[in-house]
Amino acid sequence: MAVHEHPHRSQGFHLSYRRNRTDSAIAVSARTDTAVGAYALASLRLLTGFVFLWAFLDKAFGFGYATASGKGWIDGGSPTRGFLGSVAAGPMESTFHSWAGDAWADRLFMLGLLSIGVALMAGVALRSAAVAGTAMMALMWIAEWPPAKHLSDGSPSMSTNPFADYHVIYAVALIAVAAAGAGATWGLGRLWARLPIVRDHTWLR
């Protein structure tokens, strides 16, 4: 009797062992996938933040990239005059022209670039950064107006897509990193979330 039962107990043990080993492998794989996803979102956050922060620095100090040397904001140049003054399509063309070079527009634009860039790089206030950044990208999208095939003077707009341009991609990236809480990896997101004011006002996360 015992001789017949022994193989059954042995088989049950081996089946259980294999099942546990499989469950462990699945758990390890899930943790690995989660870690890879967190690192990917953190990388997206940092790269997007650098886009905004670099735009601020270049326009402020005129590093010779998008802003010529000697024409930075600190030299008396206007961060908005060139872009808004050259708008040549869309329903807000005349409005953007009237805003171009105004002191309030320059200050608000630069404050937005700096705040969004610092928030993303540090991994804090991502929800506020996502709202502000999406609003900024929406205005810049309207300024370039990708749906237009021709500019107001009749020349080709050279638009390659009527909707999905880089402004839309940046806006989606901002929303994604905020929704995923991507500031916790390679950032100060966890410390930020522990602050009493942030705990009481979740929109500050």
Side-chain angles (χ1 to χ4, degrees), residues 79-138:
T80 63
R81 183 179 292 117
F83 178 69
L84 294 181
S86 64
V87 173
M92 293 183 64
E93 179 180 351
S94 59
T95 300
F96 287 134
H97 287 175
S98 68
W99 292 354
D102 283 356
W104 69 266
D106 289 342
R107 291 170 185 163
L108 190 60
F109 180 57
M110 293 296 278
L111 177 62
L113 289 177
L114 178 61
S115 300
I116 296 166
V118 170
L120 289 172
M121 295 294 286
V124 302
L126 296 182
R127 295 180 182 180
S128 300
V131 171
T134 298
M136 180 183 289
M137 292 299 101

Side-chain angles (χ1 to χ4, degrees), residues 5 24 37 59 64 71 81 91 102-103 108 110 163 173 189-190 201:
E5 289 179 353
S24 298
K59 292 178 184 302
K71 293 188 177 181
R81 183 179 292 117
D102 283 356
L108 190 60
M110 293 296 278
F163 174 72
R190 287 193 177 91
H201 303 85

